[in-house]
Amino acid sequence: MELRVLRYFQAVVREQNISRAAEMLHVSQPTVSRQLKDLEDELGLTLFVRGTRSIQLTNSGEYFASQVDQILSLTDKTLQNLHEEQQINGRVVIGSAEARTFLNVAQSISTLQQHYPHIQTSIISTNADEIRTSIKSGYFDFGVIMEPADKTDYDFLHLPGESRWGVLMPGDGPLAKKDHLQLSDLAQMKLILSSQQGMTGLLDDWLGKSTAKINVVATYNLLYNAALMVSAGVGYALCFDGIINTNQSDLKFVPFEPRLTSGASIVWRKGQRLSLAAKAFLQQLQRDLD
Protein backbone atom coordinates (compact mmCIF):
# COMPACT_ATOMS: atom_id res chain seq x y z
CA MET A 1 0.00 0.00 0.00
CA GLU A 2 1.35 3.39 -0.99
CA LEU A 3 0.83 6.46 1.17
CA ARG A 4 -0.58 8.26 -1.85
CA VAL A 5 -3.35 5.68 -2.19
CA LEU A 6 -4.11 5.86 1.54
CA ARG A 7 -4.53 9.64 1.19
CA TYR A 8 -6.97 9.04 -1.68
CA PHE A 9 -8.92 6.66 0.56
CA GLN A 10 -8.91 9.12 3.44
CA ALA A 11 -10.20 11.93 1.21
CA VAL A 12 -13.07 9.79 -0.10
CA VAL A 13 -14.04 8.84 3.46
CA ARG A 14 -14.15 12.50 4.46
CA GLU A 15 -16.06 13.69 1.39
CA GLN A 16 -18.26 10.55 1.08
CA ASN A 17 -18.07 11.21 -2.63
CA ILE A 18 -15.38 10.21 -5.13
CA SER A 19 -15.87 13.20 -7.44
CA ARG A 20 -15.50 15.75 -4.63
CA ALA A 21 -12.50 13.87 -3.25
CA ALA A 22 -10.86 13.86 -6.70
CA GLU A 23 -11.44 17.58 -7.04
CA MET A 24 -9.88 18.24 -3.63
CA LEU A 25 -6.88 16.02 -4.54
CA HIS A 26 -6.49 17.69 -7.96
CA VAL A 27 -6.66 14.35 -9.78
CA SER A 28 -9.25 12.84 -12.09
CA GLN A 29 -12.27 10.93 -10.77
CA PRO A 30 -11.38 7.74 -12.74
CA THR A 31 -7.90 7.79 -11.17
CA VAL A 32 -9.33 7.79 -7.65
CA SER A 33 -11.91 5.09 -8.50
CA ARG A 34 -9.25 2.86 -10.02
CA GLN A 35 -6.88 3.27 -7.07
CA LEU A 36 -9.65 2.42 -4.57
CA LYS A 37 -10.62 -0.67 -6.57
CA ASP A 38 -6.95 -1.77 -6.63
CA LEU A 39 -6.77 -1.19 -2.87
CA GLU A 40 -9.83 -3.37 -2.24
CA ASP A 41 -8.37 -6.08 -4.49
CA GLU A 42 -5.08 -5.94 -2.61
CA LEU A 43 -6.82 -6.26 0.77
CA GLY A 44 -9.36 -8.81 -0.46
CA LEU A 45 -12.11 -6.76 1.20
CA THR A 46 -14.98 -4.49 0.26
CA LEU A 47 -14.38 -1.10 1.88
CA PHE A 48 -17.29 0.91 0.42
CA VAL A 49 -20.95 0.49 -0.32
CA ARG A 50 -21.38 2.68 -3.39
CA GLY A 51 -24.65 4.61 -3.67
CA THR A 52 -25.95 6.93 -6.36
CA ARG A 53 -24.95 10.14 -4.56
CA SER A 54 -22.64 9.06 -1.78
CA ILE A 55 -20.70 6.11 -0.55
CA GLN A 56 -20.71 4.47 2.88
CA LEU A 57 -18.06 2.45 4.64
CA THR A 58 -18.52 -1.23 5.38
CA ASN A 59 -17.57 -2.51 8.83
CA SER A 60 -14.17 -3.48 7.48
CA GLY A 61 -13.94 -0.09 5.82
CA GLU A 62 -14.61 1.74 9.09
CA TYR A 63 -11.87 -0.19 10.88
CA PHE A 64 -9.47 0.36 7.99
CA ALA A 65 -10.29 4.10 7.92
CA SER A 66 -9.41 4.50 11.61
CA GLN A 67 -6.07 2.74 11.02
CA VAL A 68 -5.35 4.86 7.95
CA ASP A 69 -5.93 8.03 9.99
CA GLN A 70 -3.34 6.86 12.51
CA ILE A 71 -0.86 5.79 9.82
CA LEU A 72 -1.05 9.09 7.98
CA SER A 73 -0.98 11.09 11.21
CA LEU A 74 2.20 9.32 12.27
CA THR A 75 3.68 9.81 8.81
CA ASP A 76 2.98 13.55 8.84
CA LYS A 77 4.40 13.90 12.35
CA THR A 78 7.55 12.00 11.40
CA LEU A 79 8.12 14.13 8.31
CA GLN A 80 7.53 17.30 10.32
CA ASN A 81 10.06 16.26 12.97
CA LEU A 82 12.63 15.40 10.31
CA HIS A 83 12.04 18.75 8.68
CA GLU A 84 12.47 20.59 11.98
CA GLU A 85 15.77 18.78 12.59
CA GLN A 86 16.97 20.12 9.25
CA GLN A 87 16.16 23.72 10.06
CA ILE A 88 19.82 24.61 10.31
CA ASN A 89 20.51 28.29 10.64
CA GLY A 90 23.63 30.35 11.09
CA ARG A 91 26.22 32.21 9.07
CA VAL A 92 28.92 30.91 6.75
CA VAL A 93 31.78 33.32 6.03
CA ILE A 94 33.84 32.76 2.89
CA GLY A 95 36.84 34.86 1.95
CA SER A 96 37.48 34.75 -1.77
CA ALA A 97 39.96 35.84 -4.36
CA GLU A 98 38.47 37.61 -7.35
CA ALA A 99 38.17 34.93 -10.02
CA ARG A 100 35.54 33.46 -12.32
CA THR A 101 35.95 30.05 -10.68
CA PHE A 102 34.01 31.48 -7.71
CA LEU A 103 30.90 30.79 -9.81
CA ASN A 104 31.08 27.14 -8.66
CA VAL A 105 30.81 28.29 -5.04
CA ALA A 106 28.01 30.72 -5.87
CA GLN A 107 25.97 27.96 -7.52
CA SER A 108 26.33 25.75 -4.45
CA ILE A 109 25.23 28.64 -2.22
CA SER A 110 22.12 29.03 -4.38
CA THR A 111 21.25 25.34 -3.99
CA LEU A 112 22.00 25.47 -0.27
CA GLN A 113 19.46 28.29 0.17
CA GLN A 114 16.74 26.09 -1.30
CA HIS A 115 17.36 23.40 1.33
CA TYR A 116 18.33 25.63 4.25
CA PRO A 117 16.72 29.05 3.79
CA HIS A 118 17.83 30.20 7.27
CA ILE A 119 21.55 29.93 6.49
CA GLN A 120 23.14 33.28 5.65
CA THR A 121 26.31 33.41 3.57
CA SER A 122 28.79 36.28 3.78
CA ILE A 123 31.32 36.67 0.97
CA ILE A 124 34.36 38.85 1.57
CA SER A 125 36.55 39.62 -1.43
CA THR A 126 40.20 39.67 -0.41
CA ASN A 127 43.56 38.09 -1.18
CA ALA A 128 45.17 34.85 -0.08
CA ASP A 129 47.16 36.44 2.75
CA GLU A 130 44.06 37.82 4.45
CA ILE A 131 42.23 34.54 3.84
CA ARG A 132 44.93 32.57 5.67
CA THR A 133 44.94 35.00 8.59
CA SER A 134 41.16 35.05 8.91
CA ILE A 135 40.77 31.27 8.65
CA LYS A 136 43.42 30.85 11.35
CA SER A 137 41.58 33.29 13.63
CA GLY A 138 38.26 31.53 12.99
CA TYR A 139 36.63 34.53 11.33
CA PHE A 140 36.45 32.85 7.91
CA ASP A 141 35.01 29.36 7.64
CA PHE A 142 36.41 28.88 4.14
CA GLY A 143 38.61 30.62 1.63
CA VAL A 144 38.86 30.53 -2.15
CA ILE A 145 42.51 30.93 -3.15
CA MET A 146 44.29 30.86 -6.47
CA GLU A 147 46.91 28.31 -7.38
CA PRO A 148 49.74 27.75 -6.84
CA ALA A 149 49.30 28.05 -3.09
CA ASP A 150 50.69 26.43 0.04
CA LYS A 151 47.87 24.31 1.50
CA THR A 152 49.94 22.46 4.12
CA ASP A 153 47.71 23.42 7.04
CA TYR A 154 44.43 23.12 5.16
CA ASP A 155 41.92 20.66 3.87
CA PHE A 156 40.83 21.67 0.39
CA LEU A 157 38.79 20.98 -2.72
CA HIS A 158 39.92 21.92 -6.21
CA LEU A 159 37.38 24.04 -8.08
CA PRO A 160 36.73 23.36 -11.77
CA GLY A 161 37.95 25.79 -14.40
CA GLU A 162 40.85 28.16 -14.76
CA SER A 163 41.36 31.91 -14.92
CA ARG A 164 43.50 33.40 -17.67
CA TRP A 165 46.21 35.96 -16.94
CA GLY A 166 46.57 39.17 -18.90
CA VAL A 167 46.87 42.90 -18.53
CA LEU A 168 44.16 45.50 -17.94
CA MET A 169 45.11 48.65 -19.82
CA PRO A 170 43.70 51.88 -21.27
CA GLY A 171 41.72 51.12 -24.40
CA ASP A 172 43.49 53.81 -26.40
CA GLY A 173 47.04 52.73 -25.52
CA PRO A 174 49.47 51.33 -28.11
CA LEU A 175 49.37 47.78 -26.67
CA ALA A 176 45.55 47.76 -26.66
CA LYS A 177 45.60 47.18 -30.41
CA LYS A 178 47.05 43.70 -29.86
CA ASP A 179 44.94 40.55 -29.55
CA HIS A 180 47.45 39.06 -27.12
CA LEU A 181 50.66 39.95 -25.30
CA GLN A 182 54.00 38.29 -24.88
CA LEU A 183 55.66 38.21 -21.47
CA SER A 184 58.38 40.40 -22.93
CA ASP A 185 55.77 43.17 -23.35
CA LEU A 186 55.71 43.61 -19.57
CA ALA A 187 59.08 45.36 -19.75
CA GLN A 188 57.39 48.27 -21.57
CA MET A 189 54.80 48.86 -18.85
CA LYS A 190 54.40 50.60 -15.54
CA LEU A 191 52.85 47.65 -13.73
CA ILE A 192 50.24 47.49 -10.98
CA LEU A 193 50.53 44.12 -9.23
CA SER A 194 48.50 42.22 -6.68
CA SER A 195 49.97 42.71 -3.22
CA GLN A 196 49.39 39.13 -2.11
CA GLN A 197 52.27 36.93 -1.06
CA GLY A 198 53.67 34.76 -3.86
CA MET A 199 53.17 37.23 -6.70
CA THR A 200 56.89 37.85 -7.04
CA GLY A 201 57.53 34.12 -7.10
CA LEU A 202 54.96 33.70 -9.86
CA LEU A 203 56.69 36.34 -11.95
CA ASP A 204 60.02 34.62 -11.30
CA ASP A 205 58.55 31.40 -12.69
CA TRP A 206 57.29 33.21 -15.77
CA LEU A 207 60.22 35.49 -16.49
CA GLY A 208 63.23 33.94 -14.78
CA LYS A 209 66.04 36.45 -14.49
CA SER A 210 64.02 39.08 -16.35
CA THR A 211 61.93 39.84 -13.26
CA ALA A 212 64.31 42.61 -12.20
CA LYS A 213 63.44 44.55 -15.37
CA ILE A 214 59.78 44.83 -14.41
CA ASN A 215 58.73 48.34 -13.35
CA VAL A 216 56.20 47.99 -10.52
CA VAL A 217 54.63 51.35 -9.71
CA ALA A 218 51.76 50.27 -7.43
CA THR A 219 50.09 47.29 -5.79
CA TYR A 220 46.44 46.46 -5.19
CA ASN A 221 44.28 44.34 -2.94
CA LEU A 222 41.05 44.37 -4.97
CA LEU A 223 41.04 44.73 -8.74
CA TYR A 224 38.27 47.34 -8.81
CA ASN A 225 40.60 49.91 -7.25
CA ALA A 226 43.39 48.80 -9.58
CA ALA A 227 41.07 49.42 -12.54
CA LEU A 228 40.52 52.97 -11.33
CA MET A 229 44.28 53.46 -11.18
CA VAL A 230 44.55 52.16 -14.74
CA SER A 231 41.87 54.66 -15.83
CA ALA A 232 43.77 57.44 -14.06
CA GLY A 233 46.95 56.60 -15.94
CA VAL A 234 48.94 55.18 -13.02
CA GLY A 235 49.91 52.02 -14.90
CA TYR A 236 48.76 48.69 -16.31
CA ALA A 237 47.26 46.03 -13.99
CA LEU A 238 48.39 42.41 -14.18
CA CYS A 239 45.24 40.40 -13.41
CA PHE A 240 42.75 37.70 -14.37
CA ASP A 241 40.20 37.92 -17.15
CA GLY A 242 36.48 38.20 -16.47
CA ILE A 243 36.62 40.21 -13.24
CA ILE A 244 36.35 43.75 -14.59
CA ASN A 245 33.63 44.33 -17.18
CA THR A 246 35.40 46.34 -19.87
CA ASN A 247 32.30 46.80 -22.03
CA GLN A 248 31.38 50.47 -22.44
CA SER A 249 34.49 51.52 -20.54
CA ASP A 250 37.83 53.05 -21.42
CA LEU A 251 39.70 49.86 -20.49
CA LYS A 252 40.70 46.70 -22.33
CA PHE A 253 41.92 43.32 -21.13
CA VAL A 254 44.59 41.69 -23.31
CA PRO A 255 45.57 38.07 -22.48
CA PHE A 256 48.99 36.47 -22.73
CA GLU A 257 49.96 34.07 -25.48
CA PRO A 258 51.02 31.34 -24.82
CA ARG A 259 48.17 31.07 -22.32
CA LEU A 260 48.99 31.58 -18.66
CA THR A 261 46.28 30.29 -16.33
CA SER A 262 45.69 29.58 -12.66
CA GLY A 263 43.19 27.27 -10.99
CA ALA A 264 41.53 27.77 -7.63
CA SER A 265 40.80 25.78 -4.49
CA ILE A 266 38.48 26.25 -1.56
CA VAL A 267 40.30 25.67 1.72
CA TRP A 268 39.46 25.30 5.41
CA ARG A 269 41.70 24.73 8.38
CA LYS A 270 42.65 21.14 9.23
CA GLY A 271 41.06 19.99 12.47
CA GLN A 272 38.71 22.98 12.56
CA ARG A 273 35.30 22.12 14.00
CA LEU A 274 32.80 23.45 11.51
CA SER A 275 29.39 24.79 12.47
CA LEU A 276 26.28 22.97 11.28
CA ALA A 277 25.78 25.71 8.68
CA ALA A 278 29.37 25.39 7.44
CA LYS A 279 29.05 21.60 7.29
CA ALA A 280 25.85 21.91 5.26
CA PHE A 281 27.59 24.24 2.80
CA LEU A 282 30.61 21.96 2.46
CA GLN A 283 28.43 18.89 1.89
CA GLN A 284 26.47 20.76 -0.79
CA LEU A 285 29.66 21.89 -2.53
CA GLN A 286 31.08 18.35 -2.45
CA ARG A 287 27.89 16.96 -3.99
CA ASP A 288 27.95 19.58 -6.71
CA LEU A 289 31.62 19.01 -7.53
CA ASP A 290 31.14 15.23 -7.57
Side-chain angles (χ1 to χ4, degrees):
M1 290 179 288
E2 298 181 11
L3 292 175
R4 172 177 52 83
V5 177
L6 296 184
R7 294 192 189 280
Y8 286 359
F9 172 83
Q10 187 182 62
V12 172
V13 171
R14 289 175 178 172
E15 297 297 325
Q16 295 185 328
N17 182 280
I18 292 178
S19 296
R20 288 198 301 269
E23 184 178 353
M24 184 188 72
L25 294 165
H26 304 290
V27 296
S28 67
Q29 183 269 334
T31 297
V32 176
S33 296
R34 183 176 64 254
Q35 294 287 355
L36 293 181
K37 181 63 170 61
D38 291 344
L39 179 61
E40 289 181 316
D41 291 343
E42 180 181 356
L43 294 173
L45 296 169
T46 300
L47 300 175
F48 298 100
V49 177
R50 292 162 173 81
T52 56
R53 294 189 176 183
S54 65
I55 59 176
Q56 301 294 326
L57 290 170
T58 64
N59 290 336
S60 296
E62 289 181 356
Y63 172 76
F64 186 69
S66 68
Q67 298 303 303
V68 166
D69 288 341
Q70 294 184 49
I71 291 170
L72 293 179
S73 177
L74 179 60
T75 299
D76 293 338
K77 179 182 177 181
T78 302
L79 292 175
Q80 182 180 1
N81 288 341
L82 288 173
H83 183 70
E84 288 176 353
E85 288 179 2
Q86 294 181 11
Q87 289 302 308
I88 299 173
N89 53 41
R91 185 166 171 252
V92 180
V93 182
I94 304 172
S96 179
E98 295 178 300
R100 300 179 72 170
T101 46
F102 181 77
L103 179 61
N104 298 282
V105 176
Q107 290 170 336
S108 291
I109 291 172
S110 177
T111 305
L112 183 73
Q113 287 179 337
Q114 298 175 32
H115 298 294
Y116 304 104
H118 300 294
I119 292 179
Q120 181 186 40
T121 309
S122 296
I123 307 301
I124 300 175
S125 297
T126 185
N127 61 28
D129 299 333
E130 180 62 29
I131 287 172
R132 291 187 181 93
T133 300
S134 296
I135 287 180
K136 185 176 181 179
S137 69
Y139 177 49
F140 289 175
D141 297 297
F142 303 96
V144 177
I145 58 176
M146 303 305 299
E147 304 290 357
D150 181 9
K151 301 187 286 292
T152 304
D153 298 327
Y154 302 93
D155 290 318
F156 63 92
L157 292 171
H158 288 298
L159 298 174
E162 292 182 321
S163 296
R164 189 174 186 182
W165 284 97
V167 177
L168 189 67
M169 61 182 67
D172 57 358
L175 294 177
K177 299 177 182 179
K178 295 189 173 185
D179 293 328
H180 59 267
L181 299 173
Q182 304 292 326
L183 286 172
S184 57
D185 291 324
L186 294 176
Q188 307 175 38
M189 305 176 191
K190 296 188 295 182
L191 277 180
I192 305 171
L193 296 184
S194 169
S195 60
Q196 77 175 46
Q197 184 180 359
M199 196 65 220
T200 302
L202 186 60
L203 285 173
D204 286 341
D205 291 341
W206 289 352
L207 302 170
K209 295 181 180 179
S210 301
T211 308
K213 300 178 182 178
I214 300 301
N215 180 21
V216 179
V217 297
T219 60
Y220 67 88
N221 184 22
L222 298 178
L223 187 56
Y224 178 77
N225 289 334
L228 295 179
M229 287 196 286
V230 174
S231 294
V234 175
Y236 291 9
L238 184 66
C239 62
F240 293 126
D241 190 13
I243 302 175
I244 298 297
N245 184 3
T246 57
N247 294 331
Q248 298 180 343
S249 77
D250 59 347
L251 303 179
K252 182 180 179 181
F253 177 87
V254 183
F256 289 114
E257 190 65 42
R259 291 173 63 95
L260 293 172
T261 61
S262 291
S265 296
I266 186 165
V267 301
W268 61 100
R269 194 175 182 186
K270 285 184 177 179
Q272 178 74 25
R273 183 174 180 179
L274 298 175
S275 67
L276 291 177
K279 286 181 180 178
F281 163 76
L282 182 59
Q283 290 169 355
Q284 183 62 56
L285 180 63
Q286 289 172 322
R287 285 193 294 267
D288 292 341
L289 295 182
D290 288 342

